Amino acid sequence: KKVILFAPTFRGRGAAEATYPYDKIDFDALYELCGDDTVVAFRMHHFIPGQVPIPEHMRDRFIDVASYRNGNNLLLVTDLLITDYSSIIYEYSLLKRPMLFFAYDEQV
């Protein structure tokens, strides 16, 4: 299967206020777009508390990998990275694989 890694940075003013607005992710559209040959691994910033609210019926294609210790090892199996302005782009760029930027709150 193809692996898409969704790894954005946190929102807020540090660890104590860290959040991510999951309502910005269209889980339904992403699920349909992936198909049976793709898995989306969600790796939220370590400041983000709790698990990604993956709907039960989507867990065949979506997985929360926040508890996986070595994030750089995840990059080795990733076919496409979706991120925002996280520093993960620097490590992933060394692999010369595609990236998509989902920075909904970045002002132009």
Side-chain angles (χ1 to χ4, degrees):
K1 292 193 176 198
K2 296 175 191 163
V3 176
I4 297 173
L5 180 63
F6 181 75
T9 194
F10 67 96
R11 304 306 191 269
R13 296 183 182 199
E17 296 180 18
T19 62
Y20 190 85
Y22 292 110
D23 63 325
K24 299 294 183 187
I25 303 170
D26 188 339
F27 286 99
D28 292 323
L30 184 58
Y31 185 83
E32 291 303 317
L33 184 74
C34 290
D36 293 331
D37 66 339
T38 304
V39 172
V40 179
F42 291 86
R43 171 89 172 181
M44 306 313 285
H45 190 278
H46 62 275
F47 287 176
I48 304 295
Q51 295 183 325
V52 177
I54 298 170
E56 184 69 36
H57 69 282
M58 295 181 180
R59 294 185 182 189
D60 61 323
R61 295 182 194 164
F62 293 171
I63 185 170
D64 187 337
V65 294
S67 63
Y68 190 78
R69 288 185 173 255
N70 191 330
N72 285 340
N73 283 348
L74 289 172
L75 298 180
L76 297 174
V77 299
T78 296
D79 297 297
L80 171 69
L81 174 68
I82 302 175
T83 189
D84 46 22
Y85 30 84
S86 171
S87 64
I88 197 170
I89 62 172
Y90 299 108
E91 289 89 357
Y92 193 69
S93 68
L94 297 173
L95 298 172
K96 299 183 190 250
R97 295 182 190 156
M99 289 183 258
L100 291 177
F101 294 89
F102 180 59
Y104 64 88
D105 55 352
E106 181 64 24
Q107 295 182 5
V108 181

